[in-house]
Amino acid sequence: MKKFFASVEKICCEFYPAFYIYHRIYKNVMRNEIKLANITSKDVVLNIGCGAVPFTALHIVQMTGAKVIALDKDKEAVEKAKKCLSKYKMQKNIEIVVGDGIVENLPDFTVAIIALHVKEKAKMLENLKLAKKTGTRVIFRQPAAGYEEEYGCLPDNYIPNCKISQKMKAFNESHLYLIE
């Protein structure tokens, strides 16, 4: 399923009507996550797993004015995302780079949002804890029942500081972790 959606994104980014519809699907998700992490224009948001349609980055910039650094390990998705943002003149405050967030040194950020399809969530959270200072906010989209194996999830002993319900088929909660 992850490969299917990655392919859909690579097609959607080429045609504005498809891009627009795909982008709009996540507006309420982002509204909830912005509220959950209290994201403001003063934040630098690290978006890990941005894909070819960087809707998380776009919504954050549009709704808060924050700067976003978006990572994806798929080089083709990164190039398509850059082209997409440039084509639709939406690149303001968004930097898109190749990376997976687990093995490399991370840029400075105050908030991180981890895409659902990032499978090694526990390793990701541990790397984020090493990289950042106290008070950094991290959001993980947790898969709905039946999607855990496909998308991976944080183990039960990782207890979020807060969570919010989402009305999505593949994930029904976003979890907030504060780095202490």
Side-chain angles (χ1 to χ4, degrees), residues 30 33-43 45 60 63-64 66 111 113 137 139:
M30 293 313 307
E33 290 179 350
I34 287 166
K35 182 179 177 183
L36 180 66
N38 192 30
I39 300 171
T40 71
S41 61
K42 294 180 170 105
D43 284 307
V45 179
I60 289 168
M63 293 179 183
T64 71
V111 179
I113 298 179
R137 296 151 282 161
I139 292 177

Short mmCIF file of all heavy atoms in Angstrom, two decimals, residues 30 33-43 45 60 63-64 66 111 113 137 139:
data_model
loop_
_atom_site.label_atom_id
_atom_site.label_comp_id
_atom_site.label_asym_id
_atom_site.label_seq_id
_atom_site.Cartn_x
_atom_site.Cartn_y
_atom_site.Cartn_z
N MET A 30 -3.71 18.38 9.38
CA MET A 30 -2.69 19.37 9.71
C MET A 30 -3.22 20.39 10.71
O MET A 30 -2.49 20.80 11.62
CB MET A 30 -2.17 20.05 8.45
CG MET A 30 -1.38 19.12 7.55
SD MET A 30 -0.16 18.13 8.46
CE MET A 30 0.75 19.39 9.33
N GLU A 33 -2.83 18.70 14.00
CA GLU A 33 -1.44 18.55 14.44
C GLU A 33 -0.80 19.89 14.80
O GLU A 33 0.00 19.96 15.74
CB GLU A 33 -0.63 17.81 13.37
CG GLU A 33 -1.03 16.36 13.27
CD GLU A 33 -0.31 15.56 12.23
OE1 GLU A 33 0.42 16.12 11.39
OE2 GLU A 33 -0.47 14.32 12.24
N ILE A 34 -1.16 20.93 14.09
CA ILE A 34 -0.66 22.27 14.42
C ILE A 34 -1.14 22.66 15.82
O ILE A 34 -0.36 23.18 16.63
CB ILE A 34 -1.09 23.29 13.35
CG1 ILE A 34 -0.27 23.06 12.07
CG2 ILE A 34 -0.93 24.73 13.86
CD1 ILE A 34 -0.83 23.76 10.84
N LYS A 35 -2.39 22.38 16.10
CA LYS A 35 -2.94 22.66 17.43
C LYS A 35 -2.27 21.78 18.48
O LYS A 35 -1.90 22.26 19.56
CB LYS A 35 -4.45 22.42 17.40
CG LYS A 35 -5.14 22.73 18.71
CD LYS A 35 -6.64 22.49 18.58
CE LYS A 35 -7.33 22.72 19.91
NZ LYS A 35 -8.77 22.43 19.82
N LEU A 36 -2.11 20.50 18.19
CA LEU A 36 -1.50 19.54 19.13
C LEU A 36 -0.11 19.98 19.56
O LEU A 36 0.24 19.93 20.74
CB LEU A 36 -1.45 18.15 18.48
CG LEU A 36 -0.85 17.01 19.29
CD1 LEU A 36 -1.73 16.70 20.50
CD2 LEU A 36 -0.71 15.77 18.41
N ALA A 37 0.72 20.41 18.61
CA ALA A 37 2.11 20.80 18.90
C ALA A 37 2.28 22.30 19.10
O ALA A 37 3.39 22.77 19.31
CB ALA A 37 3.02 20.32 17.78
N ASN A 38 1.17 23.04 19.02
CA ASN A 38 1.21 24.50 19.17
C ASN A 38 2.27 25.11 18.24
O ASN A 38 3.15 25.86 18.68
CB ASN A 38 1.46 24.89 20.64
CG ASN A 38 1.22 26.36 20.87
OD1 ASN A 38 0.40 26.98 20.20
ND2 ASN A 38 1.94 26.92 21.82
N ILE A 39 2.20 24.80 16.97
CA ILE A 39 3.16 25.30 15.98
C ILE A 39 2.82 26.74 15.64
O ILE A 39 1.67 27.07 15.35
CB ILE A 39 3.15 24.42 14.71
CG1 ILE A 39 3.52 22.97 15.06
CG2 ILE A 39 4.11 24.99 13.66
CD1 ILE A 39 3.32 21.99 13.93
N THR A 40 3.84 27.59 15.67
CA THR A 40 3.67 29.01 15.35
C THR A 40 4.70 29.43 14.30
O THR A 40 5.57 28.64 13.92
CB THR A 40 3.86 29.90 16.60
OG1 THR A 40 5.25 29.90 16.96
CG2 THR A 40 2.99 29.43 17.76
N SER A 41 4.63 30.68 13.90
CA SER A 41 5.56 31.22 12.90
C SER A 41 7.00 31.25 13.41
O SER A 41 7.93 31.35 12.61
CB SER A 41 5.14 32.63 12.48
OG SER A 41 5.17 33.50 13.60
N LYS A 42 7.21 31.11 14.69
CA LYS A 42 8.55 31.12 15.27
C LYS A 42 9.24 29.75 15.19
O LYS A 42 10.42 29.63 15.47
CB LYS A 42 8.50 31.60 16.72
CG LYS A 42 8.07 33.05 16.82
CD LYS A 42 8.02 33.48 18.27
CE LYS A 42 7.84 34.96 18.31
NZ LYS A 42 6.64 35.51 18.64
N ASP A 43 8.48 28.72 14.83
CA ASP A 43 9.02 27.36 14.79
C ASP A 43 9.75 27.06 13.48
O ASP A 43 9.47 27.65 12.44
CB ASP A 43 7.90 26.33 14.97
CG ASP A 43 7.44 26.24 16.41
OD1 ASP A 43 8.30 26.04 17.30
OD2 ASP A 43 6.23 26.38 16.65
N VAL A 45 10.08 23.58 11.51
CA VAL A 45 9.47 22.25 11.53
C VAL A 45 10.24 21.32 10.60
O VAL A 45 10.47 21.63 9.44
CB VAL A 45 7.99 22.32 11.10
CG1 VAL A 45 7.36 20.93 11.10
CG2 VAL A 45 7.21 23.27 12.01
N ILE A 60 1.64 23.55 6.86
CA ILE A 60 2.29 24.22 7.98
C ILE A 60 2.64 25.65 7.61
O ILE A 60 2.37 26.58 8.36
CB ILE A 60 3.54 23.44 8.44
CG1 ILE A 60 3.11 22.15 9.12
CG2 ILE A 60 4.39 24.29 9.39
CD1 ILE A 60 4.22 21.18 9.37
N MET A 63 -0.66 27.70 7.11
CA MET A 63 -1.46 27.91 8.31
C MET A 63 -0.73 28.63 9.44
O MET A 63 -1.37 29.21 10.31
CB MET A 63 -1.99 26.57 8.83
CG MET A 63 -2.98 25.91 7.92
SD MET A 63 -3.47 24.32 8.66
CE MET A 63 -4.56 23.68 7.41
N THR A 64 0.62 28.55 9.44
CA THR A 64 1.36 29.13 10.57
C THR A 64 2.45 30.13 10.16
O THR A 64 2.85 30.93 10.98
CB THR A 64 2.05 28.04 11.41
OG1 THR A 64 3.14 27.48 10.67
CG2 THR A 64 1.06 26.96 11.85
N ALA A 66 5.46 29.13 9.66
CA ALA A 66 6.71 28.53 10.13
C ALA A 66 7.59 28.12 8.95
O ALA A 66 7.09 27.88 7.84
CB ALA A 66 6.41 27.30 11.00
N VAL A 111 10.15 21.57 16.08
CA VAL A 111 9.06 20.60 15.97
C VAL A 111 9.42 19.62 14.86
O VAL A 111 9.97 20.03 13.84
CB VAL A 111 7.71 21.29 15.61
CG1 VAL A 111 6.59 20.27 15.48
CG2 VAL A 111 7.34 22.37 16.61
N ILE A 113 7.56 16.44 12.52
CA ILE A 113 6.36 15.68 12.18
C ILE A 113 6.81 14.51 11.32
O ILE A 113 7.42 14.70 10.26
CB ILE A 113 5.31 16.53 11.45
CG1 ILE A 113 4.84 17.67 12.37
CG2 ILE A 113 4.14 15.67 11.01
CD1 ILE A 113 3.82 18.60 11.75
N ARG A 137 9.16 19.34 20.24
CA ARG A 137 7.91 18.61 20.08
C ARG A 137 8.00 17.70 18.86
O ARG A 137 8.44 18.14 17.81
CB ARG A 137 6.75 19.60 19.92
CG ARG A 137 6.55 20.46 21.17
CD ARG A 137 5.98 21.83 20.85
NE ARG A 137 7.04 22.68 20.32
CZ ARG A 137 6.85 23.78 19.61
NH1 ARG A 137 5.63 24.19 19.32
NH2 ARG A 137 7.86 24.49 19.18
N ILE A 139 5.75 14.82 16.54
CA ILE A 139 4.46 14.19 16.24
C ILE A 139 4.68 12.97 15.36
O ILE A 139 5.36 13.04 14.34
CB ILE A 139 3.51 15.17 15.52
CG1 ILE A 139 3.10 16.30 16.47
CG2 ILE A 139 2.27 14.44 15.00
CD1 ILE A 139 2.23 17.35 15.81
#
